Amino acid sequence: MPEEPCQCPDCQRFYREHDRLIRESPTLRQQQELNWATLQSFRTLSGRVLEDLQKQHGSCQTADAPAGAPVPEESGDAIQQAIADLENINAHLFSIEALMERVFDVRVPEEIEQKFRELADELAPDPLNVDRLRLNRLLHQTPDLPDRS
């Protein structure tokens, strides 16, 4: 018996986003472009935050604090940990980028792209489709099924 998908708000939001991305980018090429853009935006943003944290943290110790004044250890440790974590994230993102370059080089014939479109419709049907709305309404009216709103 298959396990029921998690119904918590975070998972539900993930499922909706997952399905939306499949519906809006139903071909291999579109998925490649979407993933590349997402990876690049993640790298840009996390790199910039890391850069700003490093600048701010360096200036905090020298400019904001009088000579010899202690920087709160708790705050300094949290910042150092955040910087280390962001450095690790950026290293992983560079590795992912190298792998994605290989994925991005793949091209498939139009018949295969059509197969992507067909399966995308099965995996993530339009939630506003009349049949889907009718089925959802029936499922929510069935007394022995839990309400999934």
Side-chain angles (χ1 to χ4, degrees), residues 8 16 20 23 92 102 141:
C8 76
R16 282 191 303 274
R20 183 187 67 77
R23 276 193 304 277
H92 290 300
R102 299 288 302 220
Q141 290 174 357

Side-chain angles (χ1 to χ4, degrees), residues 17-88:
E17 185 67 6
H18 170 273
D19 290 358
R20 183 187 67 77
L21 291 172
I22 290 176
R23 276 193 304 277
E24 292 177 4
S25 302
T27 67
L28 175 65
R29 185 73 182 161
Q30 290 170 327
Q31 286 289 321
Q32 289 168 320
E33 291 171 356
L34 177 66
N35 281 285
W36 187 256
T38 302
L39 176 63
Q40 294 304 314
S41 67
F42 192 4
R43 279 193 50 224
T44 299
L45 184 58
S46 64
R48 182 60 184 270
V49 168
L50 176 61
E51 183 181 304
D52 283 2
L53 271 177
Q54 289 169 331
K55 286 178 185 176
Q56 182 182 10
H57 181 64
S59 66
C60 264
Q61 289 183 333
T62 58
D64 293 345
V71 175
E73 187 176 322
E74 199 174 283
S75 174
D77 289 346
I79 290 172
Q80 285 300 320
Q81 184 60 51
I83 288 172
D85 290 344
L86 286 173
E87 287 171 343
N88 285 333

Side-chain angles (χ1 to χ4, degrees), residues 125-140:
D126 180 1
L128 300 178
N129 175 290
V130 174
D131 293 329
R132 180 87 180 248
L133 291 172
R134 190 175 302 124
L135 177 61
N136 286 343
R137 190 170 54 246
L138 287 172
L139 289 174
H140 286 287

